[in-house]
Amino acid sequence: MPSMMRVFLILLWTTNLVQRSVPHAAGVQVFPPVNFTLTVSALAQVLLHWKPNPNQEQKNYTVRYDVKILSPVPEEYDTKKTHSIRTAALHNGFSAHIRTLLLHNGLQMTSDWVKEKIPPLPGAPETSVTNLSCVTRITISSTVSLHCTWLPGQGAPEDTKYFLFYRYEAYTEECQEYIKDEWNRNTECRFSVTRIDPEEVDNLIVIHINGSSKYAAIKPFQQLYNQNAIEKVNVPRNVTVFLEQNDLLATWEKPISPFPKECFEYEFYLFNLKSGNKQILKISSNDFRLRIDVTNRYSIQIRANHHICCTRGFWSDWSEIIYVGQNKLENPVAWILAVLCVST
């Protein structure tokens, strides 16, 4: 009896498989999309566009498109639209494949791939900038500043002039404030105010640097940054430290930022000036209590970074040093007065 049941299940599965393959067996063809184009629509932005194949049967089929980005960063997704926008660094080119997906009664069929690419940006080898590094800060007026530094390419002539642009969403701006190296080449750029929205989480900032020279074609360079990942977090404010019997108590306010206090974590640096012992404690709240030896003298500093709400940025600078404790030998004025009294 069990063997009969197994035979029955195998026959049922085979029948179901044949039924699911009927459209393919009936000679249904899946045609690739036509007029596939890649267009640079903004700095480091590509518009992928295509049209349905006019020979494709519509009937009871669901038509979607499988998109595969090959470079510069591999990515694969499907869409029912006939266009797609992708942000990517384009200095080394961009390439993508696309094909038609035909869905019918749970069966998926695919066409051949259609390929297209954008060639690398022109320019002589090793003339692009290197070691590009960018930092943002939120100002007291709740605007965002931007500071970028870089090194000239090894193959860049001494007369090379570099020019930096940033793009944030649909807005693009060229740098107006450069700092130069000893050969009078631009190697730093400052934007005291930008269009970067300090309240957004994980938006992309596009940096584009091109150049000019009498002796060589300078190859452009592009880099994408997550806006929160390059934020130099502001220093915690209104740090207060005091002693309560044998406990050290510290309180402070979150850094200048549109994000709530829950979005920050802190490092508490405690240095025992008598013993030389150091402690760095991680804290997720805005206050802290610690049992200490109050006969010693301590120096205290606090710094902040993002936590939970968005991508971690750069740690803030340390707050100004605050001293607490009773180690009188650390006070040179009191020590000198004591010596004078004894001498008298």
Side-chain angles (χ1 to χ4, degrees), residues 312-336:
R312 290 173 63 84
F314 298 115
W315 281 97
S316 73
D317 295 328
W318 289 102
S319 63
E320 292 185 5
I321 298 176
I322 297 176
Y323 294 98
V324 68
Q326 307 252 341
N327 190 349
K328 292 183 171 48
L329 290 180
E330 294 297 331
N331 188 330
V333 176
W335 185 82
I336 292 170

PDB file of all heavy atoms in Angstrom, residues 312-336:
ATOM      1  N   ARG A 312      26.772  55.738  11.806  1.00  0.00           N
ATOM      2  CA  ARG A 312      27.749  56.405  12.660  1.00  0.00           C
ATOM      3  C   ARG A 312      28.607  57.358  11.852  1.00  0.00           C
ATOM      4  O   ARG A 312      29.004  57.070  10.716  1.00  0.00           O
ATOM      5  CB  ARG A 312      28.646  55.366  13.345  1.00  0.00           C
ATOM      6  CG  ARG A 312      27.930  54.543  14.394  1.00  0.00           C
ATOM      7  CD  ARG A 312      28.824  53.430  14.890  1.00  0.00           C
ATOM      8  NE  ARG A 312      30.004  53.950  15.548  1.00  0.00           N
ATOM      9  CZ  ARG A 312      30.046  54.324  16.830  1.00  0.00           C
ATOM     10  NH1 ARG A 312      28.959  54.251  17.569  1.00  0.00           N
ATOM     11  NH2 ARG A 312      31.150  54.779  17.373  1.00  0.00           N
ATOM     12  N   GLY A 313      28.898  58.516  12.436  1.00  0.00           N
ATOM     13  CA  GLY A 313      29.779  59.479  11.796  1.00  0.00           C
ATOM     14  C   GLY A 313      31.156  59.449  12.432  1.00  0.00           C
ATOM     15  O   GLY A 313      31.598  58.422  12.959  1.00  0.00           O
ATOM     16  N   PHE A 314      31.849  60.595  12.386  1.00  0.00           N
ATOM     17  CA  PHE A 314      33.127  60.730  13.062  1.00  0.00           C
ATOM     18  C   PHE A 314      32.869  61.191  14.500  1.00  0.00           C
ATOM     19  O   PHE A 314      32.015  62.058  14.737  1.00  0.00           O
ATOM     20  CB  PHE A 314      34.019  61.749  12.350  1.00  0.00           C
ATOM     21  CG  PHE A 314      34.370  61.361  10.937  1.00  0.00           C
ATOM     22  CD1 PHE A 314      33.926  62.103   9.861  1.00  0.00           C
ATOM     23  CD2 PHE A 314      35.163  60.245  10.687  1.00  0.00           C
ATOM     24  CE1 PHE A 314      34.253  61.759   8.565  1.00  0.00           C
ATOM     25  CE2 PHE A 314      35.501  59.891   9.394  1.00  0.00           C
ATOM     26  CZ  PHE A 314      35.041  60.648   8.337  1.00  0.00           C
ATOM     27  N   TRP A 315      33.621  60.636  15.455  1.00  0.00           N
ATOM     28  CA  TRP A 315      33.494  61.095  16.835  1.00  0.00           C
ATOM     29  C   TRP A 315      33.760  62.592  16.913  1.00  0.00           C
ATOM     30  O   TRP A 315      34.613  63.131  16.203  1.00  0.00           O
ATOM     31  CB  TRP A 315      34.480  60.353  17.734  1.00  0.00           C
ATOM     32  CG  TRP A 315      34.032  58.970  18.106  1.00  0.00           C
ATOM     33  CD1 TRP A 315      34.392  57.796  17.497  1.00  0.00           C
ATOM     34  CD2 TRP A 315      33.140  58.614  19.164  1.00  0.00           C
ATOM     35  NE1 TRP A 315      33.776  56.728  18.113  1.00  0.00           N
ATOM     36  CE2 TRP A 315      33.009  57.195  19.142  1.00  0.00           C
ATOM     37  CE3 TRP A 315      32.437  59.335  20.135  1.00  0.00           C
ATOM     38  CZ2 TRP A 315      32.197  56.504  20.049  1.00  0.00           C
ATOM     39  CZ3 TRP A 315      31.636  58.650  21.032  1.00  0.00           C
ATOM     40  CH2 TRP A 315      31.519  57.259  20.989  1.00  0.00           C
ATOM     41  N   SER A 316      33.022  63.248  17.784  1.00  0.00           N
ATOM     42  CA  SER A 316      33.251  64.675  18.012  1.00  0.00           C
ATOM     43  C   SER A 316      34.616  64.883  18.656  1.00  0.00           C
ATOM     44  O   SER A 316      35.262  63.930  19.109  1.00  0.00           O
ATOM     45  CB  SER A 316      32.170  65.248  18.933  1.00  0.00           C
ATOM     46  OG  SER A 316      32.368  64.815  20.280  1.00  0.00           O
ATOM     47  N   ASP A 317      35.054  66.129  18.703  1.00  0.00           N
ATOM     48  CA  ASP A 317      36.219  66.438  19.514  1.00  0.00           C
ATOM     49  C   ASP A 317      35.864  66.230  20.983  1.00  0.00           C
ATOM     50  O   ASP A 317      34.686  66.198  21.351  1.00  0.00           O
ATOM     51  CB  ASP A 317      36.640  67.896  19.286  1.00  0.00           C
ATOM     52  CG  ASP A 317      37.119  68.127  17.856  1.00  0.00           C
ATOM     53  OD1 ASP A 317      37.692  67.192  17.263  1.00  0.00           O
ATOM     54  OD2 ASP A 317      36.907  69.248  17.346  1.00  0.00           O
ATOM     55  N   TRP A 318      36.875  66.102  21.821  1.00  0.00           N
ATOM     56  CA  TRP A 318      36.626  66.002  23.251  1.00  0.00           C
ATOM     57  C   TRP A 318      36.196  67.361  23.793  1.00  0.00           C
ATOM     58  O   TRP A 318      36.632  68.404  23.319  1.00  0.00           O
ATOM     59  CB  TRP A 318      37.887  65.547  23.995  1.00  0.00           C
ATOM     60  CG  TRP A 318      38.262  64.108  23.747  1.00  0.00           C
ATOM     61  CD1 TRP A 318      39.245  63.650  22.910  1.00  0.00           C
ATOM     62  CD2 TRP A 318      37.663  62.953  24.338  1.00  0.00           C
ATOM     63  NE1 TRP A 318      39.300  62.277  22.939  1.00  0.00           N
ATOM     64  CE2 TRP A 318      38.344  61.807  23.811  1.00  0.00           C
ATOM     65  CE3 TRP A 318      36.637  62.749  25.251  1.00  0.00           C
ATOM     66  CZ2 TRP A 318      38.021  60.508  24.168  1.00  0.00           C
ATOM     67  CZ3 TRP A 318      36.321  61.450  25.613  1.00  0.00           C
ATOM     68  CH2 TRP A 318      36.997  60.347  25.086  1.00  0.00           C
ATOM     69  N   SER A 319      35.324  67.325  24.786  1.00  0.00           N
ATOM     70  CA  SER A 319      34.920  68.563  25.453  1.00  0.00           C
ATOM     71  C   SER A 319      36.111  69.145  26.217  1.00  0.00           C
ATOM     72  O   SER A 319      37.143  68.487  26.400  1.00  0.00           O
ATOM     73  CB  SER A 319      33.765  68.280  26.422  1.00  0.00           C
ATOM     74  OG  SER A 319      34.194  67.383  27.445  1.00  0.00           O
ATOM     75  N   GLU A 320      35.977  70.384  26.658  1.00  0.00           N
ATOM     76  CA  GLU A 320      37.043  71.002  27.443  1.00  0.00           C
ATOM     77  C   GLU A 320      37.251  70.220  28.743  1.00  0.00           C
ATOM     78  O   GLU A 320      36.313  69.646  29.299  1.00  0.00           O
ATOM     79  CB  GLU A 320      36.691  72.455  27.759  1.00  0.00           C
ATOM     80  CG  GLU A 320      36.683  73.359  26.532  1.00  0.00           C
ATOM     81  CD  GLU A 320      36.455  74.812  26.905  1.00  0.00           C
ATOM     82  OE1 GLU A 320      36.395  75.112  28.127  1.00  0.00           O
ATOM     83  OE2 GLU A 320      36.334  75.645  25.997  1.00  0.00           O
ATOM     84  N   ILE A 321      38.505  70.232  29.220  1.00  0.00           N
ATOM     85  CA  ILE A 321      38.834  69.466  30.423  1.00  0.00           C
ATOM     86  C   ILE A 321      38.183  70.097  31.651  1.00  0.00           C
ATOM     87  O   ILE A 321      38.216  71.317  31.838  1.00  0.00           O
ATOM     88  CB  ILE A 321      40.360  69.399  30.616  1.00  0.00           C
ATOM     89  CG1 ILE A 321      41.023  68.670  29.435  1.00  0.00           C
ATOM     90  CG2 ILE A 321      40.709  68.696  31.928  1.00  0.00           C
ATOM     91  CD1 ILE A 321      42.540  68.646  29.507  1.00  0.00           C
ATOM     92  N   ILE A 322      37.578  69.247  32.471  1.00  0.00           N
ATOM     93  CA  ILE A 322      37.031  69.656  33.763  1.00  0.00           C
ATOM     94  C   ILE A 322      37.775  68.880  34.847  1.00  0.00           C
ATOM     95  O   ILE A 322      37.965  67.665  34.720  1.00  0.00           O
ATOM     96  CB  ILE A 322      35.521  69.372  33.846  1.00  0.00           C
ATOM     97  CG1 ILE A 322      34.773  70.197  32.803  1.00  0.00           C
ATOM     98  CG2 ILE A 322      34.987  69.664  35.245  1.00  0.00           C
ATOM     99  CD1 ILE A 322      33.295  69.918  32.756  1.00  0.00           C
ATOM    100  N   TYR A 323      38.207  69.597  35.902  1.00  0.00           N
ATOM    101  CA  TYR A 323      38.937  68.950  36.997  1.00  0.00           C
ATOM    102  C   TYR A 323      38.024  68.806  38.202  1.00  0.00           C
ATOM    103  O   TYR A 323      37.176  69.659  38.476  1.00  0.00           O
ATOM    104  CB  TYR A 323      40.161  69.790  37.382  1.00  0.00           C
ATOM    105  CG  TYR A 323      41.209  69.862  36.291  1.00  0.00           C
ATOM    106  CD1 TYR A 323      41.267  70.964  35.440  1.00  0.00           C
ATOM    107  CD2 TYR A 323      42.129  68.837  36.105  1.00  0.00           C
ATOM    108  CE1 TYR A 323      42.222  71.038  34.431  1.00  0.00           C
ATOM    109  CE2 TYR A 323      43.093  68.904  35.102  1.00  0.00           C
ATOM    110  CZ  TYR A 323      43.126  70.004  34.274  1.00  0.00           C
ATOM    111  OH  TYR A 323      44.065  70.077  33.274  1.00  0.00           O
ATOM    112  N   VAL A 324      38.227  67.704  38.911  1.00  0.00           N
ATOM    113  CA  VAL A 324      37.458  67.460  40.121  1.00  0.00           C
ATOM    114  C   VAL A 324      38.309  66.634  41.074  1.00  0.00           C
ATOM    115  O   VAL A 324      39.146  65.845  40.650  1.00  0.00           O
ATOM    116  CB  VAL A 324      36.123  66.737  39.801  1.00  0.00           C
ATOM    117  CG1 VAL A 324      36.380  65.321  39.315  1.00  0.00           C
ATOM    118  CG2 VAL A 324      35.185  66.733  40.986  1.00  0.00           C
ATOM    119  N   GLY A 325      38.117  66.821  42.378  1.00  0.00           N
ATOM    120  CA  GLY A 325      38.876  66.052  43.356  1.00  0.00           C
ATOM    121  C   GLY A 325      39.716  66.950  44.250  1.00  0.00           C
ATOM    122  O   GLY A 325      39.711  68.174  44.118  1.00  0.00           O
ATOM    123  N   GLN A 326      40.501  66.339  45.184  1.00  0.00           N
ATOM    124  CA  GLN A 326      41.135  67.103  46.247  1.00  0.00           C
ATOM    125  C   GLN A 326      42.632  66.947  46.323  1.00  0.00           C
ATOM    126  O   GLN A 326      43.223  67.270  47.350  1.00  0.00           O
ATOM    127  CB  GLN A 326      40.547  66.648  47.598  1.00  0.00           C
ATOM    128  CG  GLN A 326      39.051  66.679  47.662  1.00  0.00           C
ATOM    129  CD  GLN A 326      38.558  67.808  48.545  1.00  0.00           C
ATOM    130  OE1 GLN A 326      39.305  68.330  49.350  1.00  0.00           O
ATOM    131  NE2 GLN A 326      37.307  68.169  48.381  1.00  0.00           N
ATOM    132  N   ASN A 327      43.270  66.426  45.317  1.00  0.00           N
ATOM    133  CA  ASN A 327      44.707  66.197  45.401  1.00  0.00           C
ATOM    134  C   ASN A 327      45.439  67.533  45.393  1.00  0.00           C
ATOM    135  O   ASN A 327      45.738  68.108  44.363  1.00  0.00           O
ATOM    136  CB  ASN A 327      45.182  65.331  44.229  1.00  0.00           C
ATOM    137  CG  ASN A 327      46.610  64.864  44.411  1.00  0.00           C
ATOM    138  OD1 ASN A 327      47.308  65.338  45.298  1.00  0.00           O
ATOM    139  ND2 ASN A 327      47.033  63.934  43.571  1.00  0.00           N
ATOM    140  N   LYS A 328      45.749  68.042  46.579  1.00  0.00           N
ATOM    141  CA  LYS A 328      46.279  69.397  46.708  1.00  0.00           C
ATOM    142  C   LYS A 328      47.660  69.542  46.087  1.00  0.00           C
ATOM    143  O   LYS A 328      48.064  70.631  45.710  1.00  0.00           O
ATOM    144  CB  LYS A 328      46.311  69.809  48.179  1.00  0.00           C
ATOM    145  CG  LYS A 328      44.928  69.973  48.782  1.00  0.00           C
ATOM    146  CD  LYS A 328      45.019  70.445  50.205  1.00  0.00           C
ATOM    147  CE  LYS A 328      43.668  70.831  50.776  1.00  0.00           C
ATOM    148  NZ  LYS A 328      42.616  69.873  50.569  1.00  0.00           N
ATOM    149  N   LEU A 329      48.423  68.432  46.016  1.00  0.00           N
ATOM    150  CA  LEU A 329      49.758  68.538  45.433  1.00  0.00           C
ATOM    151  C   LEU A 329      49.700  68.865  43.950  1.00  0.00           C
ATOM    152  O   LEU A 329      50.689  69.277  43.373  1.00  0.00           O
ATOM    153  CB  LEU A 329      50.527  67.224  45.654  1.00  0.00           C
ATOM    154  CG  LEU A 329      50.934  66.942  47.106  1.00  0.00           C
ATOM    155  CD1 LEU A 329      51.686  65.621  47.182  1.00  0.00           C
ATOM    156  CD2 LEU A 329      51.775  68.081  47.665  1.00  0.00           C
ATOM    157  N   GLU A 330      48.537  68.681  43.352  1.00  0.00           N
ATOM    158  CA  GLU A 330      48.391  69.036  41.940  1.00  0.00           C
ATOM    159  C   GLU A 330      48.216  70.536  41.767  1.00  0.00           C
ATOM    160  O   GLU A 330      48.216  71.042  40.660  1.00  0.00           O
ATOM    161  CB  GLU A 330      47.180  68.300  41.333  1.00  0.00           C
ATOM    162  CG  GLU A 330      47.339  66.785  41.275  1.00  0.00           C
ATOM    163  CD  GLU A 330      48.471  66.371  40.382  1.00  0.00           C
ATOM    164  OE1 GLU A 330      48.761  67.112  39.430  1.00  0.00           O
ATOM    165  OE2 GLU A 330      49.080  65.321  40.633  1.00  0.00           O
ATOM    166  N   ASN A 331      48.041  71.279  42.869  1.00  0.00           N
ATOM    167  CA  ASN A 331      47.849  72.731  42.785  1.00  0.00           C
ATOM    168  C   ASN A 331      49.182  73.403  43.097  1.00  0.00           C
ATOM    169  O   ASN A 331      49.580  73.507  44.263  1.00  0.00           O
ATOM    170  CB  ASN A 331      46.778  73.176  43.789  1.00  0.00           C
ATOM    171  CG  ASN A 331      46.399  74.637  43.596  1.00  0.00           C
ATOM    172  OD1 ASN A 331      47.233  75.434  43.160  1.00  0.00           O
ATOM    173  ND2 ASN A 331      45.171  74.968  43.939  1.00  0.00           N
ATOM    174  N   PRO A 332      49.928  73.879  42.099  1.00  0.00           N
ATOM    175  CA  PRO A 332      51.266  74.421  42.335  1.00  0.00           C
ATOM    176  C   PRO A 332      51.250  75.678  43.206  1.00  0.00           C
ATOM    177  O   PRO A 332      52.175  75.915  43.976  1.00  0.00           O
ATOM    178  CB  PRO A 332      51.782  74.704  40.916  1.00  0.00           C
ATOM    179  CG  PRO A 332      50.569  74.826  40.071  1.00  0.00           C
ATOM    180  CD  PRO A 332      49.553  73.905  40.676  1.00  0.00           C
ATOM    181  N   VAL A 333      50.210  76.499  43.100  1.00  0.00           N
ATOM    182  CA  VAL A 333      50.136  77.716  43.904  1.00  0.00           C
ATOM    183  C   VAL A 333      50.045  77.366  45.377  1.00  0.00           C
ATOM    184  O   VAL A 333      50.759  77.916  46.229  1.00  0.00           O
ATOM    185  CB  VAL A 333      48.935  78.581  43.477  1.00  0.00           C
ATOM    186  CG1 VAL A 333      48.807  79.794  44.397  1.00  0.00           C
ATOM    187  CG2 VAL A 333      49.091  79.008  42.030  1.00  0.00           C
ATOM    188  N   ALA A 334      49.175  76.410  45.719  1.00  0.00           N
ATOM    189  CA  ALA A 334      49.029  75.997  47.117  1.00  0.00           C
ATOM    190  C   ALA A 334      50.323  75.377  47.631  1.00  0.00           C
ATOM    191  O   ALA A 334      50.725  75.607  48.789  1.00  0.00           O
ATOM    192  CB  ALA A 334      47.874  75.002  47.241  1.00  0.00           C
ATOM    193  N   TRP A 335      51.012  74.634  46.803  1.00  0.00           N
ATOM    194  CA  TRP A 335      52.262  73.989  47.208  1.00  0.00           C
ATOM    195  C   TRP A 335      53.339  75.032  47.495  1.00  0.00           C
ATOM    196  O   TRP A 335      54.052  74.972  48.498  1.00  0.00           O
ATOM    197  CB  TRP A 335      52.710  73.044  46.095  1.00  0.00           C
ATOM    198  CG  TRP A 335      53.921  72.230  46.466  1.00  0.00           C
ATOM    199  CD1 TRP A 335      53.946  71.093  47.190  1.00  0.00           C
ATOM    200  CD2 TRP A 335      55.281  72.528  46.123  1.00  0.00           C
ATOM    201  NE1 TRP A 335      55.236  70.645  47.330  1.00  0.00           N
ATOM    202  CE2 TRP A 335      56.074  71.502  46.675  1.00  0.00           C
ATOM    203  CE3 TRP A 335      55.891  73.560  45.398  1.00  0.00           C
ATOM    204  CZ2 TRP A 335      57.450  71.479  46.532  1.00  0.00           C
ATOM    205  CZ3 TRP A 335      57.258  73.527  45.260  1.00  0.00           C
ATOM    206  CH2 TRP A 335      58.032  72.507  45.815  1.00  0.00           C
ATOM    207  N   ILE A 336      53.433  76.058  46.655  1.00  0.00           N
ATOM    208  CA  ILE A 336      54.434  77.117  46.861  1.00  0.00           C
ATOM    209  C   ILE A 336      54.146  77.895  48.144  1.00  0.00           C
ATOM    210  O   ILE A 336      55.049  78.203  48.929  1.00  0.00           O
ATOM    211  CB  ILE A 336      54.463  78.072  45.645  1.00  0.00           C
ATOM    212  CG1 ILE A 336      55.030  77.316  44.412  1.00  0.00           C
ATOM    213  CG2 ILE A 336      55.290  79.304  45.929  1.00  0.00           C
ATOM    214  CD1 ILE A 336      54.874  78.069  43.112  1.00  0.00           C
TER     215      ILE A 336
END
